[in-house]
Amino acid sequence: MGTLQRVGVIGVGEIGKAVVEGLRHDGDPTPEIHLSPRGASADLAERYEAVHLCIDNQQVVDRSDLVLIAVRGPDRHSLAGLRIPGDKIVVNVMAGVSNDDLRSILDTAAPLVRAIPLPAVRERMSVTVVHPSDPVVNAMFDVLGGAMPVADETAFDVFSALTGTLTSHYAFLVTLAEWASSHGIAPDDADRYVRGLFENVGRSLGDETRTLPGLAADHETPNGSNERIRTTWFASAADGLRESLDALLTDLRRP
């Protein structure tokens, strides 16, 4: 991971925890990790070597070279008053919080980088969008599955909007299992089958030599069941999905 020796995490919820678990995935004790004193911090400090629980957010900053800020967006103003020297790197993973907004709160000259780490970074299996490109930040996320630098915050916000579809994907699977149960299938059997069906889809997504439209076409035969559901349900639902994404993107870009 280059010269990065000490990482701090302020806000150890699901994403902060996933980053810590990803950095510790292979048992490597470097970099040192320093955590703010809430959320999953105490559990992580007990589980992993060189993961330390700090007394407050300022101690996280003081003991770190790179500080990942993962508090909830509405709570960002609680960060006011932190003293962050210009030789630190701040990674902003708060959805909808621009670097300009965060800089005005922190009043720091330190480099600020936005990032969108996903829960799968804990298995080092998820690409992370970053802006602006920074060699140290890129190197950290390369370890966690890959860094994808983008040119500007306009593009960054498009990727951020895409992350808003994650729970809808799970809800889609829930709906399938519930539908099967409503037709007499035991809930455990319905759950198991739906999981297996889409685990196979997930494995095919790992083959980047095949385009997304190509994968869709490969799983569909003319006048078959997949074509029927796509044309009778998804074709019309897709317009509503695009409208929802457009509305979310507008809100993400609103100061």
Side-chain angles (χ1 to χ4, degrees), residues 6-173:
R6 304 180 302 165
V7 171
V9 181
I10 297 176
V12 191
E14 177 64 17
I15 294 303
K17 181 181 178 183
V19 169
V20 173
E21 291 175 334
L23 291 174
R24 286 291 172 271
H25 185 71
D26 63 357
D28 188 344
T30 57
E32 289 183 7
I33 301 176
H34 300 274
L35 307 178
S36 58
R38 284 177 292 279
S41 299
D43 173 66
L44 292 168
E46 289 180 3
R47 288 168 55 195
Y48 295 112
E49 179 183 359
V51 175
H52 307 289
L53 185 62
C54 294
I55 60 173
D56 57 25
N57 291 342
Q58 187 61 55
Q59 190 175 72
V60 175
V61 173
D62 295 342
R63 293 183 174 182
S64 304
D65 305 308
L66 179 151
V67 182
L68 186 143
I69 297 182
V71 302
R72 295 173 60 253
D75 297 333
R76 64 191 183 278
H77 296 288
S78 67
L79 302 168
L82 279 179
R83 301 180 303 279
I84 302 182
D87 61 348
K88 309 282 187 180
I89 300 172
V90 177
V91 179
N92 168 18
V93 304
M94 295 180 288
V97 179
S98 70
N99 280 339
D100 287 343
D101 186 5
L102 182 58
R103 191 176 298 281
S104 70
I105 293 169
L106 296 176
D107 190 24
T108 180
L112 266 59
V113 178
R114 291 185 76 183
I116 314 174
L118 302 176
V121 295
R122 60 169 40 95
E123 286 91 26
R124 299 184 173 183
M125 295 178 62
S126 177
V127 67
T128 298
V129 176
V130 299
H131 171 76
S133 182
D134 178 278
V136 175
V137 177
N138 293 353
M140 181 179 74
F141 286 118
D142 279 338
V143 169
L144 299 176
M148 181 188 290
V150 295
D152 52 48
E153 286 200 294
T154 299
F156 185 94
D157 287 337
V158 172
F159 286 103
S160 185
L162 289 175
T163 68
T165 64
L166 280 174
T167 59
S168 295
H169 175 72
Y170 287 114
F172 170 68
L173 304 185

